[in-house]
Amino acid sequence: MRRAFVHGLMATAMVFSAASAAFAAAPSTMPANKTAAQDDWWKHAVIYELYPRSFADSNNDGIGDLKGITNHLGYLADLGVDAIWMTPMFPSPQVDFGYDVADYDNVDPQFGTIADADALIAKGKGQNVKIILDFVINHSSDKHAWFQQSKSSKTNPYRDFYIWRDGKNGGPPNNWTSLFGGSAWEKDPTTGQYYYHFFYAQQPDLNWRNPALEKAMFDQAEWWLKRGVYGYRLDAVGTMFEREDLKDNPPAPGTDAFGLPEQNRINNTEQPEMHTELQKLRQNVIDKYPGRILIGETYVSTAPELTKFYGAKNDELQLPMYLSLIGLKPITAADLRPRIEAVESNPVGGWPCFALNNHDQRRSTSRYDLPAGTTGDDMARIMAAMILTLRGTPILYYGEELGMLNNDPKRVEDVQDIIGKKGWPKEKGRDGERTPMQWDASVNAGFNTGAKPWLPIGPDYQTRNVAAERADPNSVLNYYRTLIAERRTNPALAGDMTMVDRSNPNVLSYVRTGGGKKLLTVLNFGGTASDLTLAQLGGGKIGRVIVQNRTTVTANGLHLAPLGAIVAEIN
Ligand code: GLC
Ligand code: CA
């Protein structure tokens, strides 16, 4: 058994190199995105998440900055990125690396100035790369002027911008715990009351039940829209409201990484009021500016919960991200298919939005046990073939297109992310997926000119970098570029999607149809090789191959080694 398996792999590896010439070559320049000019540009866009600290450090202080991003806009345009979502670059004590915002109307000096932000927006416009910011709606920094006012006295006009309560029986008001460790309540000595924080104590939750807070937040959102940004990714949407009566959460099995019993957070997440509020944000702010969008960090466990975020009349978020594919471990076709289909067929006709990587999750190249004989690059390719051919908007994460790996801290002393310090070794934090972008083989991978980067550069940077991969026709980067070019030009990838071979537990296959063209995607997530007939895959003949990896076209079908992937036209 085992021998045959190993043989199968070697055979396909040989055919693979012989067949590689049949790939569509990556384009030397990215073709125009035909739909980019329309109001629903975001339906056919590639969105790219970028972590400013880690993208490019223009002033060589070890931390990435806005000028660094502006300097590399040409790279993003060449990759076929239509919009970037930048994680927070507002002034912040950086306790949660920007997700603790101290002033929404400004830029943190370590990232640059408002003039730098304006320059980025303007240059982006010239290159057809739209800028989307991160709007942290659940909380601010405890250093925000609002909170400083709020904590100063019980009668301060900003008191109700946050959630203050008296303690109970000498302890906090209820049993809610913070996702980032400990009680979700912090006692403040000035007034003796407790304030609520779903995340760190330095991130007090905003009180959306207060109309004055709502107005202040809507004004902030508008401030950047007026400067030309194309909308927002809304942070931690599900935590926006909590039950007003502060009902305790029921216990859940086990202990969290910080030593407290787990609980089922039914009373402080996913409260129905958030939908009304998000609809207001959409109508009163976003829709005043044509083409502007709301993307949501919407971690939900079922498709019906995701559907709610579109709004019953498609009047809420245009792109609530479906993030549940990230949590599948192992990742199997049997698990992927019903989830994708459920998102696809949501009853309100909302447009799907998928992400497989982000700044809070292990990179997909390092997330799974790899089948024997495969590498992270094969995982990168199968994931690319999936996310770039599904019906829906893909959100890529910087470095994903290079097949970058997690570079996890080995010692607690090296950890930057506080949850990693507090939760070590059970929770090592998120440093591993946030290491600097790898541009070239020079010092610090071209991230800067030699100052120690805030996180260590991946040890593989001399070969895994933009310059090397751009020059190598078989690189992960050119695999992405080929697929993105196809998205921009092939009407099938703007058309319908039908799953085929639906009972296959190992191989996920679907056909995209549009403009008289048909495109077939076949992805072997199984641990063994698979032979499939074309009849099984919906019929027709394999035509032009867009990309293929660990796959051979056989007399009447396809042979896919584990992690084998192919995207091809069907005639
Ligand atoms: C979101 C962000 C994460 C941050 C948290 C608190 O989940 O993606 O990075 O720590 O919100 O703002
Ligand atoms: Ca810098």
Side-chain angles (χ1 to χ4, degrees):
M1 258 298 267
R2 167 135 179 93
R3 253 185 98 159
F5 176 54
V6 173
H7 262 110
L9 275 180
M10 283 172 55
T12 35
M14 280 162 59
V15 184
F16 156 63
S17 40
S20 64
F23 290 20
S28 54
T29 50
M30 193 51 66
N33 189 338
K34 291 183 190 152
T35 58
Q38 301 172 8
D39 251 12
D40 62 352
W41 62 272
W42 42 273
K43 287 191 177 170
H44 304 289
V46 169
I47 300 178
Y48 185 95
E49 178 195 354
L50 176 161
Y51 201 69
R53 291 182 84 77
S54 302
F55 200 58
D57 173 16
S58 74
N59 65 345
N60 196 37
D61 64 356
I63 294 170
D65 43 58
L66 296 188
K67 275 197 180 129
I69 298 169
T70 308
N71 294 343
H72 286 288
L73 271 176
Y75 165 73
L76 296 170
D78 177 65
L79 179 61
V81 166
D82 301 287
I84 55 175
W85 142 38
M86 241 191 328
T87 64
M89 70 325 159
F90 314 106
S92 162
Q94 306 287 332
V95 172
D96 194 15
F97 297 117
Y99 282 99
D100 45 328
V101 179
D103 176 5
Y104 286 97
D105 293 353
N106 219 321
V107 173
D108 194 298
Q110 68 180 304
F111 294 133
T113 61
I114 292 181
D116 293 336
D118 287 342
L120 172 61
I121 294 166
K123 192 168 169 202
K125 201 168 178 199
Q127 306 240 24
N128 291 321
V129 179
K130 296 180 166 67
I131 314 296
I132 292 170
L133 299 184
D134 208 311
F135 194 26
V136 186
I137 51 176
N138 177 64
H139 49 267
S140 74
S141 162
D142 61 338
K143 297 292 181 298
H144 195 295
W146 298 342
F147 190 72
Q148 293 296 312
Q149 291 282 331
S150 182
K151 69 185 242 182
S152 66
S153 87
K154 284 187 180 175
T155 53
N156 187 281
Y158 288 90
R159 185 66 169 181
D160 292 335
F161 269 42
Y162 298 86
I163 298 161
W164 293 96
R165 292 287 190 284
D166 290 326
K168 217 169 86 184
N169 311 323
N174 70 8
N175 79 343
W176 297 349
T177 54
S178 159
L179 187 70
F180 287 175
S183 167
W185 295 94
E186 183 78 8
K187 190 171 180 176
D188 188 69
T190 317
T191 59
Q193 280 196 313
Y194 288 78
Y195 68 87
Y196 173 66
H197 58 91
F198 186 83
F199 297 96
Y200 295 127
Q202 296 92 333
Q203 295 170 301
D205 272 48
L206 296 163
N207 176 18
W208 280 93
R209 290 198 165 85
N210 177 359
L213 177 275
E214 176 194 82
K215 180 175 184 311
M217 287 297 275
F218 284 6
D219 288 349
Q220 309 292 341
E222 216 164 327
W223 197 83
W224 284 104
L225 292 177
K226 285 188 190 134
R227 299 197 96 84
V229 309
Y230 259 79
Y232 293 97
R233 173 265 193 187
L234 303 179
D235 183 59
V237 171
T239 60
M240 194 173 188
F241 280 87
E242 37 294 310
R243 267 180 78 129
E244 219 173 359
D245 65 4
L246 305 189
K247 193 170 181 213
D248 275 354
N249 278 329
T255 308
D256 69 20
F258 314 98
L260 288 181
E262 290 280 9
Q263 56 183 232
N264 191 352
R265 297 194 169 94
I266 51 171
N267 294 321
N268 56 340
T269 62
E270 308 295 331
Q271 299 302 301
E273 293 94 323
M274 72 183 161
H275 293 293
T276 323
E277 198 56 56
L278 294 172
Q279 286 162 24
K280 272 182 158 176
L281 174 63
R282 170 79 180 272
Q283 273 118 59
N284 299 354
V285 182
I286 299 296
D287 283 353
K288 289 198 332 213
Y289 300 81
R292 296 329 196 250
I293 58 168
L294 289 174
I295 304 172
E297 188 201 18
T298 37
Y299 279 103
V300 294
S301 31
T302 66
E305 286 172 66
L306 188 73
T307 299
K308 289 189 198 155
F309 284 105
Y310 291 108
K313 300 186 203 107
N314 254 308
D315 51 359
E316 204 167 315
L317 313 185
Q318 288 99 329
L319 296 176
M321 285 186 247
Y322 187 59
L323 295 162
S324 297
L325 304 184
I326 295 179
L328 297 176
K329 201 177 172 206
I331 189 163
T332 69
D335 286 332
L336 287 166
R337 189 179 300 111
R339 285 174 174 78
I340 293 168
E341 281 192 311
V343 172
E344 262 281 294
S345 60
N346 68 80
V348 299
W351 187 255
C353 176
F354 298 99
L356 298 170
N357 287 285
N358 65 40
H359 65 285
D360 297 323
Q361 305 286 346
R362 296 184 65 69
R363 289 184 179 272
S364 52
T365 44
S366 299
R367 194 182 302 148
Y368 310 100
D369 298 328
L370 295 171
T374 67
T375 65
D377 280 7
D378 297 314
M379 185 57 81
R381 288 189 172 92
I382 193 170
M383 292 299 218
M386 177 165 75
I387 197 168
L388 293 170
T389 66
L390 284 176
R391 192 182 76 95
T393 299
I395 303 192
L396 309 179
Y397 180 53
Y398 83 92
E400 174 178 336
E401 76 278 22
L402 305 177
M404 267 175 69
L405 303 169
N406 255 64
N407 184 24
D408 300 309
K410 314 265 174 317
R411 315 176 309 170
V412 63
E413 304 88 283
D414 298 332
V415 175
Q416 298 282 335
D417 186 17
I418 293 178
I419 58 170
K421 293 187 210 246
K422 282 168 66 173
W424 189 276
K426 199 169 165 186
E427 166 65 70
K428 295 196 165 96
R430 298 162 290 182
D431 294 355
E433 53 265 27
R434 298 174 174 179
T435 60
M437 177 70 172
Q438 295 169 195
W439 294 102
D440 58 38
S442 71
V443 62
N444 289 339
F447 171 67
N448 63 15
T449 51
K452 188 172 181 233
W454 78 287
L455 285 175
I457 309 280
D460 57 356
Y461 80 93
Q462 291 194 335
T463 49
R464 187 182 304 285
N465 63 59
V466 169
E469 292 196 36
R470 187 70 171 80
D472 171 5
N474 291 317
S475 66
V476 172
L477 176 59
N478 278 318
Y479 197 90
Y480 269 82
R481 294 183 73 255
T482 303
L483 284 162
I484 294 173
E486 195 68 21
R487 280 182 71 87
R488 289 163 84 93
T489 49
N490 190 332
L493 284 172
D496 293 338
M497 174 167 133
T498 314
M499 292 282 176
V500 291
D501 193 22
R502 296 184 66 253
S503 57
N504 194 323
N506 299 317
V507 184
L508 182 74
S509 308
Y510 47 88
V511 177
R512 301 292 312 271
T513 319
K517 298 213 171 209
K518 255 189 172 183
L519 214 63
L520 171 70
T521 298
V522 184
L523 312 166
N524 183 7
F525 284 101
T528 54
S530 256
D531 285 288
L532 306 169
T533 64
L534 273 172
Q536 183 177 358
L537 296 169
K541 280 206 175 71
I542 298 280
R544 183 175 60 101
V545 173
I546 301 22
V547 291
Q548 76 186 89
N549 185 41
R550 299 174 58 78
T551 299
T552 42
V553 180
T554 57
N556 65 343
L558 297 171
H559 175 86
L560 291 94
L563 297 187
I566 182 167
V567 178
E569 274 192 342
I570 295 293
N571 301 319

